[in-house]
Amino acid sequence: MPALANKTYFNYGGQGPLPNASLEAITASWRTIQELGPFTADIWPWLEGEVRSLRGALAALCGVPPERLALTENVTSGCVLPLWGLPWQAGDELLISDCEHPGVVAACRELARREGLSISTLAVKGLRGDLASTNASVLEALGASLTRRTRLVVLSHLLWNTGQLMPIKAVAHRLEQHPRRPWLLVDAAQSVGSLPLAEHEADTGGAGAAAVADIYAFTGHKWCCGPEGLGGVALSERLLAEAQPTMGGWRSLAQENDQGSAWHQDARRFEVATSCVPLLAGLRRSLELLEAVAPAPERLELIQKRSQQLWHGLSQLPGVHPLLEVPPPAGLVSFVVEGAAPGDLVSQLGERAIWLRTLDDPHCLRACTHITTTGAELEVLLTTLAELTRPT
């Protein structure tokens, strides 16, 4: 990974570095397209194979059949395209957690403005304890926040700001008991590539989450270490029966050359038009490299080992406080430093080629650990933070 050379990198939750092999796969794909001819009879079977291969890989990753997986550009398009195609009625209520990404919140606000919907808040930002107490508190808050008008719940799988894990399966089960069976939209930006999704294990909030959500949107450029500009969304059968395209194009059609064609009956109706095919090869190669290291549950153990080392190290520094009260469930480690502006610290660390980021709400710093993170890198970060925050 060239991006990891000559620096100490902790921004996997923003963008994962692209492996050399994935970059080479993208280049080889461009070359194949030009050799076959970008618009010839020879290119179409090859293109169909590329799409089918990646769709199958992402569907397997999420634990859903391929017909429920749409290829998208990013998390936002994966959330918005199916969301805006649902049959809304004036007065419906959107219940959005207080830890959602501003991009998704903005789309929901505009949807509410156009359709005459109301918005309420599901409070999860203050949940900083162990998973058992967190799960119970999420369900308690959900029960208190649901009303007879609730039509959609928006809740990230792994909160991008605090790093806490949400009990998506339990939330989905609770919504099934609601008279209106609200749809469940899950921002999976931080979970796909870091959490095991397809394994059918005890309900800890992680296993099977992609299969039970109505919209489970993710990107390939974060924890999957693929190229930017490519992601996916797993959609429920119920949503596919109820939602219509909001930005339809030739890829949305069952017969792309027929002006009278109906939409695809599966998730492909939310794919739009021409996209960058070589990115498919790059993401597929990155997924293969991850799987070659270890199965998803074992990769999570590697991620947790480093994030928990970092959490413990931060806890021992004077004036440094991790947001979570217990070691993190995945690779996001957010923390605050007494008397220090997060932006200033990030700049000072960057001058030393140590890269993490600030978050605005809550105002803190965030470092991410992946399977490529080493113990030596953690020591570099902890030692430098100790120097920068030492009282003068």
Side-chain angles (χ1 to χ4, degrees), residues 350-369:
E351 292 172 357
R352 293 161 173 79
I354 303 170
W355 296 104
L356 39 76
R357 65 163 295 177
T358 62
L359 299 174
D360 291 333
D361 188 17
H363 199 36
C364 62
L365 299 96
R366 189 188 74 183
C368 304
T369 65

Side-chain angles (χ1 to χ4, degrees), residues 214-296:
D214 292 294
I215 301 172
Y216 192 88
F218 59 93
T219 180
H221 76 261
K222 295 182 185 287
W223 297 91
C224 293
C225 295
E228 62 269 34
L230 179 60
V233 57
L235 302 168
S236 69
E237 293 182 0
R238 177 174 68 138
L239 182 136
L240 290 173
E242 298 175 338
Q244 294 300 312
T246 51
M247 190 178 173
W250 62 265
R251 283 173 61 190
S252 315
L253 298 173
Q255 300 294 331
E256 65 182 65
N257 293 318
D258 183 356
Q259 292 184 359
S261 176
W263 305 118
H264 278 297
Q265 294 302 302
D266 57 21
R268 288 175 295 174
R269 78 178 66 163
F270 296 104
E271 296 174 6
V272 183
T274 305
S275 57
C276 185
V277 172
L279 300 182
L280 306 181
L283 179 53
R284 187 174 66 245
R285 185 62 180 130
S286 289
L287 294 175
E288 292 168 351
L289 292 171
L290 287 171
E291 191 63 26
V293 172

